[in-house]
Amino acid sequence: MIPKEARPGDDTAGLLFYLYGPGKRDEHVDPHMVAAWDPYVPDPARSAEFTIPDLAALLDAPVRVLLGKKPPLHVFHVAVRNPPEDRQLSDEEWARVAREMMHAAGIAPHTDERGCRWVAVRHADDHVHIVATRAREDGRQPDTSWSKLRMQEVARRFEVEFGLRRLTHADGTARRWAKTGEAEKATRRGLAEPVRETLQRTVREAAAAAVSDVDFFERLAAAGLRVKQRVAPDGNVTGYSVALPGDRDGGQKPVWFPGTRLAPDLSLPRVRERWSGPPVNTAATPADAWRVAAEKVRAAADQLGVGGLHQGVGDVAALGDLIVTAAVVSPYLVRSQMRKAAYEFERASRAPAARQMEGQARQLYRESTQILARSVSSVGRNDTVAALGLLLALVTAVEASRRWHQAQEYRVQAEAAGRAGRLLHEAVEVTVGVNAAREYRPRPKRAAARAGTGRRAAPAPGIRPMAGTVQEAVPEHAREVLADPAWPALRARLAEVEKAGDDPGDVLATVAARRELNSADSVAEVLVWRLDGWQRQRGSATSASGSGTTTAPAGGAERTVRARKQGAPSPTRRPPGEEQQRKGPKQGR
C-alpha cells in the first residue's frame, strides 16, 4: 500500500471535478465517494440534488470563515494505491484506510470533533483519493508536518491486516521512480516509458558488462546516450550524468540525470566497485561460453554469503549484474522472461549493509558476466539448448540468494528474489518447449475410420475433448492437472496447438517427456509454459520459412517483427513501462 501526498492546491472544486470525471492518464470507472468527515454527506455521483460544486462549498466552508490569515494553498490531497498483484479491496475497507490516513496525517484525529473536512473518492479498483481542506472547525490550521511518515506507518499496518504485499521504505535500496511529470512527458512524446527508466536500464547494462572507467563510458556512448563527466581540479573523474538525445526541458536544454538519481548503485563510486578486486578470468572460448558460465554459477551458489553479511551483500550485487547481462544476450524466444527477471531481481541485488568485494561467489559471478559479455556474438544466437544449462544454474543461484536474504531478515529483497526466481523458472520451461519443438517429428496420422464400421468418427478441429487428451498423454499427472487452477489455460493452449494443425496429445506427451514434472509445484502451469515455448518456436519457424519475418514472443503473446540480421538481438517487450533495448553489451576487444 503506497500513500502518495500531492502538492498542496487552491482549487477544491477543480480537483473534485477531475476525480469524478473521465480522467486524463487512466480511465476513471464508476467514480463514487467511499467515506467523508461526516457519514451523512451526500455523494454527487449518487444524488440528483447534490452537485460537485455543492460538495466543494461544504469542504471550503471552514476556510472561508477563517478570521486570521488564510492559507494560500489550502487543499490537501493524497492518493493511496495498492500494487497490481494485491487483492481488490472493498469500499468498506478503503473507507477504513481513508479514516486512518486522515487521523495519522493530523487532518482529522479520531477523537477530535473539530478536525478538518475531507472526502475519499474511488474511481478505480486499486486506489482511492482523499481530499481535505487545511482549516479546522475551530478556526485553527492542522499540524501536518509529519503526515508522510505517519501515513506510511499506517500503510504498513494495513498490509499485514489485509494480507497485502508488504512494502518497506527508507532502507536506501529502492530504485528512483519516474515522477508524474516525467510520465506525462513520455506520453506526450509517444514514448513507451519515461526517460528516467530508459536511462536506468541502459546504464545498468553498461555497468554490468564494463571492466574499467573507459569501457563503461564507451558502452554508454555506444548505446546512444549523451554522457557528461564531472572532472575534479586534479583531473580525476568524480561523477557522470547521462541524457537521452531529444529529451529537453522547457528551455530546450538537455535533461541530465546523474547516476545517483537513477538508482543507488549507479553512482560512479558504486559502478567502480564492480571491477574492483582481483582480475576477472575470462579464459573461455566463445563456443563454450554458456557451459563455462553455467559451471561457475553453480559453483557460486554454494558459496553465496558463506563469508558473512558484508561478503553476501557483494555476492548478490554481482549476481544481479550477471542476470542483467544474461538477459541481454539470451535467445530471443525467452528474452522477455529474462528481462523481467532482471527487472525484478534489481531490488534483491541491493542489500542495506556495507559490501565486501572479494567474496568467492562474487568472483565467480563476475567471471560469468564477463564471459557472456565478451562472447555476445556467439551466445546471442538462438541456441536454447546451450542456454538451458545456464538458466537452470541461475534458478539455483537466485533461490540461494532468496534464502540468504531471509536469513538476514531482508524481507523486501527476499520477495524480489522470489519473483525473479519464478520468472527464471518460466524461462527454463519455455526453453524446454522451444527445444522440444525444434526436435519434434510428428507421428504418422492414423487412417481415418471407414464409414459403416461402427467406429466413432474423429472430432472436428477445435472440439477434441482435451481432458481425455491429458489422460492419454500424461496419465500419471492427469488427476492433478485437471484439478489445477491452471487447467483452463492449459486447455486453451492445447486447443491452439490443434488449431495450428498438430496433434495436441502427441505434442503434450512430447513436451512432458522433455524434463521431469514430479518436482513442479503446478504441473499444469509448467505444461502451459512449455507449450508457450512450443508455439513460439513453431510460429518462428513458420514465419521464417514463409515470409522472411520472425515471430518474437513477448510475455506469452506473439507478435511479428522483421527477421534479425547479423546476429543482432530482436526487440522484446520489457517489464511494464519499459522501452525496447537498443544495443547489447559492447563486444570485448
Side-chain angles (χ1 to χ4, degrees):
M1 182 174 289
I2 307 171
K4 184 176 181 180
E5 185 177 329
R7 294 179 180 178
D10 60 0
D11 186 1
T12 306
L15 177 56
L16 290 175
F17 270 113
Y18 169 75
L19 297 179
Y20 276 100
K24 294 181 180 179
R25 291 182 54 205
D26 302 313
E27 183 179 358
H28 294 179
V29 179
D30 186 26
H32 60 281
M33 185 189 302
V34 296
W37 82 96
D38 187 327
Y40 298 103
V41 174
D43 183 359
R46 304 288 190 265
S47 174
E49 294 80 19
F50 193 74
T51 65
I52 292 176
D54 294 335
L55 178 59
L58 275 180
L59 287 169
D60 285 341
V63 179
R64 292 197 301 269
V65 300
L66 286 176
L67 298 178
K69 183 178 180 181
K70 295 179 174 58
L73 300 175
H74 66 276
V75 180
F76 180 91
H77 175 207
V78 59
V80 187
R81 186 182 300 270
N82 285 338
E85 60 269 23
D86 279 343
R87 70 175 178 87
Q88 180 177 326
L89 300 186
S90 65
D91 282 353
E92 292 73 19
E93 289 172 322
W94 277 122
R96 280 196 57 206
V97 170
R99 285 191 286 269
E100 291 298 328
M101 290 293 174
M102 291 298 92
H103 169 75
I107 294 291
H110 290 325
T111 58
D112 190 348
E113 297 181 356
R114 295 182 175 273
C116 301
R117 297 183 177 186
W118 60 272
V119 295
V121 179
R122 182 181 187 182
H123 54 215
D125 292 337
D126 63 349
H127 68 278
V128 65
H129 291 264
I130 311 172
V131 181
T133 48
R134 294 174 181 269
R136 293 168 45 86
E137 300 284 358
D138 56 10
R140 296 186 292 116
Q141 295 183 24
D143 180 10
T144 59
S145 55
W146 296 94
S147 59
K148 293 181 181 180
L149 178 61
R150 290 170 178 169
M151 286 191 293
Q152 289 283 354
E153 294 173 350
V154 170
R156 302 293 83 77
R157 295 200 301 267
F158 275 119
E159 288 165 0
V160 176
E161 179 180 348
F162 291 159
L164 308 176
R165 176 179 171 184
R166 297 178 62 186
L167 305 179
T168 189
H169 62 285
D171 69 352
T173 65
R175 71 191 328 234
R176 308 291 189 252
W177 298 100
K179 299 178 181 178
T180 302
E182 295 171 1
E184 293 175 349
K185 182 180 180 181
T187 301
R188 291 195 303 269
R189 294 182 58 195
L191 301 178
E193 64 182 356
V195 169
R196 182 190 296 267
E197 295 187 11
T198 303
L199 296 175
Q200 280 178 342
R201 183 182 63 257
T202 308
V203 173
R204 183 171 302 283
E205 291 173 356
V211 295
S212 66
D213 281 24
V214 173
D215 191 17
F216 173 59
F217 290 121
E218 285 182 351
R219 288 175 183 274
L220 293 179
L225 302 187
R226 302 184 64 179
V227 183
K228 181 170 61 176
Q229 300 181 17
R230 185 171 66 248
V231 182
D234 60 1
N236 292 323
V237 178
T238 59
Y240 73 98
S241 298
V242 290
L244 195 67
D247 183 35
R248 298 181 178 276
D249 59 16
Q252 294 304 303
K253 296 181 180 179
V255 180
W256 295 96
F257 289 83
T260 189
R261 283 180 54 196
L262 296 177
D265 56 343
L266 293 182
S267 65
L268 187 57
R270 291 292 301 274
V271 169
R272 283 171 170 162
E273 287 180 351
R274 290 167 163 85
W275 50 79
S276 64
V280 174
N281 178 20
T282 57
T285 63
D288 292 334
W290 288 112
R291 179 185 58 79
V292 174
E295 291 175 355
K296 291 180 179 294
V297 172
R298 281 192 290 269
D302 296 332
Q303 299 294 324
L304 193 150
V306 297
L309 170 63
H310 301 320
Q311 189 179 102
V313 176
D315 294 344
V316 295
L319 176 57
D321 285 343
L322 172 59
I323 297 173
V324 166
T325 302
V328 171
V329 303
S330 59
Y332 76 88
L333 290 175
V334 294
R335 196 170 295 155
S336 60
Q337 281 81 15
M338 291 295 295
R339 293 196 185 282
K340 292 175 184 176
Y343 179 87
E344 290 292 351
F345 193 80
E346 180 187 326
R347 186 71 181 271
S349 68
R350 295 190 293 264
R355 298 163 298 285
Q356 290 179 359
M357 301 296 131
E358 65 274 5
Q360 180 64 23
R362 178 187 180 276
Q363 181 71 8
L364 291 169
Y365 288 142
R366 286 295 295 164
E367 291 176 5
S368 301
T369 300
Q370 291 303 310
I371 288 171
L372 296 181
R374 292 182 177 275
S375 305
V376 63
S377 60
S378 173
V379 301
R381 300 172 304 172
N382 297 323
D383 192 354
T384 51
V385 176
L388 182 58
L390 177 63
L391 292 177
L392 289 168
L394 287 176
V395 170
T396 302
V398 170
E399 174 59 21
S401 73
R402 187 188 67 83
R403 292 194 300 267
W404 181 83
H405 281 303
Q406 286 182 329
Q408 312 306 321
E409 298 185 355
Y410 296 152
R411 177 177 49 80
V412 173
Q413 284 78 6
E415 292 174 355
R419 294 191 298 271
R422 175 179 170 79
L423 287 163
L424 287 170
H425 184 198
E426 181 180 351
V428 166
E429 302 301 344
V430 169
T431 302
V432 170
V434 169
N435 295 337
R438 285 181 172 171
E439 301 173 9
Y440 177 64
R441 297 294 180 270
R443 293 181 298 184
K445 295 184 178 179
R446 292 172 292 183
R450 295 181 178 180
T453 60
R455 297 175 64 184
R456 186 169 54 186
I463 62 173
R464 178 189 294 266
M466 294 304 173
T469 298
V470 172
Q471 292 170 344
E472 293 178 3
V474 285
E476 66 276 20
H477 298 290
R479 183 186 298 272
E480 178 184 355
V481 168
L482 296 177
D484 196 293
W487 160 238
L490 176 59
R491 182 173 55 201
R493 296 301 193 284
L494 292 172
E496 292 169 2
V497 168
E498 184 180 34
K499 186 177 180 180
D502 291 321
D503 184 292
D506 194 13
V507 170
L508 184 62
T510 299
V511 299
R514 292 289 300 190
R515 188 166 177 264
E516 61 86 21
L517 292 167
N518 293 326
S519 63
D521 293 331
S522 169
V523 173
E525 187 172 47
V526 167
L527 292 174
V528 167
W529 291 337
R530 294 185 187 180
L531 289 178
D532 281 344
W534 174 282
Q535 291 175 298
R536 295 180 188 188
Q537 171 58 28
R538 300 287 277 185
S540 174
T542 300
S543 298
S545 61
S547 61
T549 58
T550 301
T551 302
E558 296 182 351
R559 57 185 179 144
T560 302
V561 299
R562 299 307 271 167
R564 301 189 302 154
K565 297 181 180 181
Q566 300 178 357
S570 61
T572 60
R573 181 192 279 171
R574 299 196 167 275
E578 290 207 7
E579 199 176 70
Q580 291 180 348
Q581 155 104 9
R582 287 189 173 85
K583 298 182 180 180
K586 181 179 176 183
Q587 186 174 356
R589 295 173 295 281

